[in-house]
Amino acid sequence: MKELKIARLKEGTVIDHIKSENTFRVARILGLENSSSMVTIGANLDSTKMGRKGLIKIENKFLNEKEANKIALVAPEANLCIIRNSQVEKKIRLEVPDELRGLARCINTNCVTNHEKAETRFIVESKEPLKLRCHYCERIFGKGDLEIL
Amino acid sequence: MQFRGRDIISMRDFSKAEIEYLLDFSLNFKESDHALKGKVLSTLFFEPSTRTRLSFESAMASLGGSCIGFSDPSVSSIKKGESLSDTIKTVEGYCNAIIIRHPLEGSARLAADIASIPVINAGDGSNQHPTQTLTDLYTIRKSKGKLSGLRIGFLGDLKYGRTVHSLSLALSSFSNKLFFISSSALSMPDSYLESLDRSSPTEHTDRLDEIIGELDILYVTRIQQERFTDPLEYKKLKNTYHINLDMLKRAKPEMKIMHPLPRVDEIDTSVDATENSLYFQQASNGVTVRKALLALIIGGAK
């Protein structure tokens, strides 16, 4: 039997169909542990499509482009919906942008961006599998080394 | 092709056609002792350098321009804690172009993003050293008459050596076979290998004696002490490869040895007098290429 465990949102954002293992990473990069909004986090929920999935609902919060791009990096499979007046106003397709600015830290400790006040910048060399090149130190690295700011 | 005002940061920024143009221009460059009269070049060396700094200063002087700068950051405002960004913003008001060498990777790109005048990278950590690479390409083409279809070996510190990272990237786009010869502790990082153009096959080995006979060019680098935190590790690796007359017996007579210099004891001095040695010629080509670059970038020569 399927029962409703999570209340409907009136205004806010729903991030659905997150791969279960990515759920808390998404919550972390959105800084939800410090949020004053009403937040619902569901992990390992039953899903007909995915088997198990994660779900995050945040009341009165509408993600900006930068936040959507961060989610695209760690959970590109997720669906993002903007809810207004209890209705889905907009579905946002998550896509890794061609260039990332100020979203992630460079893993190269000798990169100038880890020593000077400079916004990090990465060129996306490949989206699947994710491969990034630092605009400054030119080091190439993959998703496993990604450290979201 | 227009190079006036352009930054020289990484070999990535140049197409094959642009590289060929720069080499042709360097070869045919007719020196004029007043091409850069009244122009000022800043040389900001946050890390020690002899050859690169002197060759830029020599190039600038012979074109009628002058140089300002420092070669020891411990006596400059950096010692007082000034950020690189502030140094660049200040210095750009004093000159027509900036040469920068800095221990952090990406520092030259950052300087170029900040400055409105051209910036030339003279080495950023273990990343790139494009004017050395252009000198190396110029030297190879002048000696072999071509830049492709060659078998080129890189020996020594392939992990930290920026001249290797910079040159292998450029040579890979000209369809050559590249051999990386090093101990496993100093082998080419995957990140640089991934950047190489697929048109050039690569081979990896730790045995120079086994493949030296196949090579047209052997590019030797120094094991850089300043890149090691553990002095024992440095000592252990320093003497791994040593090129002497005995080793040369296995090489093709027309095989050329290059080295960005300074050498410590990678190449025996007895090799200097052989037909195989090309490294001092290479060092002198550095001035020719840098002169041409300065004339293009600051002087707007075509």
Side-chain angles (χ1 to χ4, degrees):
Chain A
M1 195 179 77
K2 207 168 182 178
E3 50 182 298
L4 187 66
K5 290 179 181 156
I6 297 162
R8 277 176 92 91
L9 267 191
K10 269 205 186 101
E11 302 274 329
T13 301
V14 176
I15 309 161
D16 199 357
H17 295 107
I18 310 170
K19 270 190 198 161
S20 264
E21 64 268 29
N22 291 335
T23 312
F24 289 97
R25 202 161 175 209
V26 173
R28 216 164 24 244
I29 61 173
L30 293 175
L32 295 182
E33 61 267 53
N34 302 315
S35 171
S36 54
S37 304
M38 194 170 87
V39 175
T40 318
I41 300 176
N44 300 319
L45 304 177
D46 289 332
S47 159
T48 38
K49 212 168 88 183
M50 308 171 69
R52 288 290 174 103
K53 69 168 185 180
L55 172 73
I56 297 175
K57 294 187 176 192
I58 318 156
E59 196 172 58
N60 294 325
K61 160 113 183 153
F62 305 96
L63 300 190
N64 59 32
E65 198 188 333
K66 203 169 175 177
E67 289 168 319
N69 283 340
K70 286 184 183 179
I71 298 174
L73 287 173
V74 299
E77 71 284 352
N79 295 326
L80 217 145
C81 293
I82 305 293
I83 311 288
R84 295 210 197 248
N85 282 327
S86 305
Q87 302 289 319
V88 175
E89 190 196 65
K90 205 163 91 180
K91 286 189 174 184
I92 299 171
R93 224 176 74 92
L94 289 175
E95 202 187 351
V96 176
D98 296 332
E99 195 181 308
L100 313 177
R101 283 179 183 252
L103 293 185
R105 193 188 308 282
C106 184
I107 52 153
N108 175 10
T109 52
N110 207 36
C111 175
V112 72
T113 57
N114 288 316
H115 299 264
E116 286 274 324
K117 277 196 194 107
E119 188 183 53
T120 62
R121 217 172 131 187
F122 299 94
I123 318 300
V124 178
E125 297 235 310
S126 143
K127 294 189 181 183
E128 193 53 52
L130 186 67
K131 226 196 246 175
L132 305 173
R133 172 164 50 85
C134 176
H135 164 73
Y136 292 100
C137 74
E138 309 195 346
R139 220 42 79 78
I140 293 173
F141 57 95
K143 193 173 175 176
D145 292 318
L146 194 62
E147 198 185 321
I148 303 277
L149 286 171
Chain B
M1 243 172 244
Q2 179 61 266
F3 280 90
R4 186 183 207 125
R6 205 166 148 175
D7 301 313
I8 308 277
I9 304 301
S10 165
M11 291 314 290
R12 259 176 220 286
D13 306 338
F14 298 97
S15 67
K16 266 171 79 170
E18 286 174 328
I19 292 174
E20 305 253 27
Y21 178 87
L22 289 173
L23 300 185
D24 287 339
F25 183 85
S26 304
L27 193 65
N28 301 319
F29 183 58
K30 295 280 177 291
E31 196 168 321
S32 147
D33 58 7
H34 52 79
L36 296 182
K37 189 162 187 273
K39 305 286 186 192
V40 177
L41 182 69
S42 283
T43 53
L44 312 183
F45 282 82
F46 294 84
E47 244 187 4
S49 157
T50 311
R51 267 141 292 270
T52 306
R53 186 170 58 84
L54 291 181
S55 64
F56 268 116
E57 289 179 1
S58 161
M60 197 62 186
S62 64
L63 296 173
S66 48
C67 289
I68 56 171
F70 55 84
S71 52
D72 180 3
S74 65
V75 297
S76 75
S77 57
I78 290 81
K79 187 83 191 282
K80 300 175 192 155
E82 188 181 47
S83 71
L84 176 62
S85 310
D86 282 1
T87 305
I88 298 297
K89 280 181 201 150
T90 309
V91 168
E92 73 168 327
Y94 304 160
C95 57
N96 301 96
I98 293 173
I99 310 289
I100 179 173
R101 168 170 293 185
H102 197 284
L104 293 174
E105 285 114 45
S107 49
R109 181 77 69 189
L110 180 66
D113 286 356
I114 292 166
S116 54
I117 58 171
V119 172
I120 299 177
N121 182 7
D124 61 325
S126 65
N127 188 37
Q128 286 269 318
H129 192 354
T131 64
Q132 178 68 49
T133 298
L134 289 166
T135 301
D136 296 342
L137 294 171
Y138 178 89
T139 305
I140 293 172
R141 206 179 66 169
K142 217 174 162 192
S143 162
K144 296 288 173 192
K146 57 182 184 177
L147 272 184
S148 51
L150 296 168
R151 301 168 76 81
I152 300 157
F154 292 92
L155 176 75
D157 178 1
L158 313 187
K159 186 174 178 187
Y160 299 104
R162 60 188 159 214
T163 55
V164 172
H165 303 154
S166 217
L167 180 61
S168 60
L169 180 68
L171 282 171
S172 72
S173 60
F174 286 93
S175 303
N176 293 290
K177 174 141 192 199
L178 308 179
F179 297 81
F180 296 103
I181 312 143
S182 72
S183 63
S184 59
L186 289 178
S187 66
M188 269 288 273
D190 286 344
S191 169
Y192 291 109
L193 287 173
E194 274 185 43
S195 302
L196 300 180
D197 194 292
R198 302 271 177 266
S199 68
S200 289
T202 59
E203 207 176 300
H204 301 260
T205 175
D206 57 357
R207 296 291 301 268
L208 174 64
D209 54 342
E210 283 176 5
I211 60 128
I212 192 167
E214 294 186 42
L215 303 177
D216 300 308
I217 300 271
L218 176 60
Y219 194 93
V220 186
T221 61
R222 178 172 63 99
I223 311 275
Q224 300 178 75
Q225 188 170 7
E226 60 265 32
R227 305 266 172 242
F228 285 85
T229 43
D230 181 357
L232 277 177
E233 182 79 359
Y234 167 71
K235 264 194 173 162
K236 209 166 75 188
L237 287 164
K238 193 172 70 140
N239 297 318
T240 318
Y241 300 106
H242 181 73
I243 297 161
N244 52 25
L245 295 178
D246 233 24
M247 181 66 94
L248 281 184
K249 284 181 192 151
R250 297 164 181 264
K252 291 193 263 190
E254 65 278 14
M255 190 271 289
K256 299 290 182 195
I257 301 171
M258 294 172 67
H259 193 304
L261 303 178
R263 73 173 149 187
V264 184
D265 32 34
E266 308 85 48
I267 306 174
D268 199 272
T269 48
S270 62
V271 176
D272 298 359
T274 66
E275 285 291 305
N276 306 99
S277 121
L278 194 59
Y279 30 93
F280 291 117
Q281 184 58 49
Q282 179 188 0
S284 124
N285 290 341
V287 181
T288 309
V289 170
R290 288 181 176 110
K291 240 187 300 200
L293 277 177
L294 292 174
L296 283 169
I297 289 164
I298 306 176
K302 279 180 199 167

